Amino acid sequence: KAGVTQTPRYLIKTRGQQVTLSCSPISGHRSVSWYQQTPGQGLQFLFEYFSETQRNKGNFPGRFSGRQFSNSRSEMNVSTLELGDSALYLCASSLAGTEKLFFGSGTQLSVL
Amino acid sequence: DQQVKQNSPSLSVQEGRISILNCDYTNSMFDYFLWYKKYPAEGPTFLISISSIKDKNEDGRFTVFLNKSAKHLSLHIVPSQPGDSAVYFCAASEWSTLTFGKGTMLLVSP
């Protein structure tokens, strides 16, 4: 069974640009969550999607958005990039109603 | 305000000895707790979990203890192996949303 797939693995952008990250969950998993990892801050919850609906949202500005498609694949978008957005963005999928998350390898975003 | 705290950024242990990683939480609504392990350039992988109705869960070399009155959980690794060297994240769940601590880097030396 394939794991969670995130693309691209690395991204370099400049301030003010926007970026879209992609996540394909494990087959059969309908819940997809996104986390931001920065040095010293651990993993911070961005949002969770289930059946194409955002079910929960973390404390991030509106520049961070996401969506989920009917095949459970998810994308997150960050607009008007800032230097502080440089981080590892992790996607995780899970079976509905369970807390056990399966993570992808992440997308390392560098904002210059 | 951090709801899940891992107060030790790092821990060094010799191979064969016990590693004890600690985690404190403040939200009494958390009902499920998990430990994840993370190697560089990889996503976190699930290690072990415990429900709030239990005080101990064991899986091979890994044991998680939960003290609800103290809002404290710990992960014991016995015996520690060099391959256990990684960052360990504690996570707590409320309504299936996980809140993570900042992680503890464990280094197991031969």
Side-chain angles (χ1 to χ4, degrees), chain A residues 6 21 33-47 59-61 63-64 76 78 81-92 103 107-109 111, chain B residues 38 89 100-101:
Chain A
Q6 290 187 247
L21 313 182
S33 303
W34 288 88
Y35 286 82
Q36 181 196 65
Q37 185 190 8
T38 54
Q41 288 299 316
L43 279 76
Q44 295 188 285
F45 173 71
L46 280 155
F47 25 67
N59 191 23
F60 277 82
R63 300 184 297 106
F64 292 81
M76 70 162 279
V78 188
L81 283 166
E82 300 177 359
L83 295 179
D85 296 334
S86 295
L88 179 67
Y89 290 87
L90 291 159
C91 168
F103 284 86
T107 295
Q108 183 67 55
L109 172 64
V111 182
Chain B
K38 186 180 185 301
F89 289 98
F100 285 82

Side-chain angles (χ1 to χ4, degrees), chain A residues 16-38:
Chain A
Q17 287 187 308
Q18 75 160 19
V19 67
T20 299
L21 313 182
S22 180
C23 172
S24 294
I26 291 172
S27 177
H29 287 191
R30 294 168 62 193
S31 174
V32 173
S33 303
W34 288 88
Y35 286 82
Q36 181 196 65
Q37 185 190 8
T38 54

Side-chain angles (χ1 to χ4, degrees), chain B residues 28-83:
Chain B
S28 57
M29 298 301 291
F30 288 141
D31 57 4
Y32 198 76
F33 303 88
L34 308 90
W35 284 94
Y36 279 82
K37 175 179 175 180
K38 186 180 185 301
Y39 293 116
E42 295 182 13
T45 54
F46 169 78
L47 199 55
I48 192 169
S49 62
I50 187 168
S51 164
S52 59
I53 62 173
K54 292 187 174 182
D55 55 16
K56 177 182 174 181
N57 188 26
E58 194 171 350
D59 184 3
R61 297 186 296 114
F62 303 91
T63 303
V64 56
F65 295 92
L66 175 63
N67 182 334
K68 282 181 63 179
S69 60
K71 294 191 175 70
H72 177 84
L73 69 156
S74 61
L75 173 68
H76 292 210
I77 307 174
V78 184
S80 300
Q81 299 173 354

Side-chain angles (χ1 to χ4, degrees), chain A residues 56-110:
Chain A
N56 213 338
K57 189 177 189 308
N59 191 23
F60 277 82
R63 300 184 297 106
F64 292 81
S65 63
R67 59 179 176 166
Q68 187 181 33
F69 303 95
S70 58
N71 60 359
S72 294
R73 193 177 69 86
S74 178
E75 288 181 347
M76 70 162 279
N77 185 77
V78 188
S79 62
T80 319
L81 283 166
E82 300 177 359
L83 295 179
D85 296 334
S86 295
L88 179 67
Y89 290 87
L90 291 159
C91 168
S93 72
S94 64
L95 288 167
T98 66
E99 292 88 352
K100 187 175 172 182
L101 301 182
F102 293 83
F103 284 86
S105 296
T107 295
Q108 183 67 55
L109 172 64
S110 297

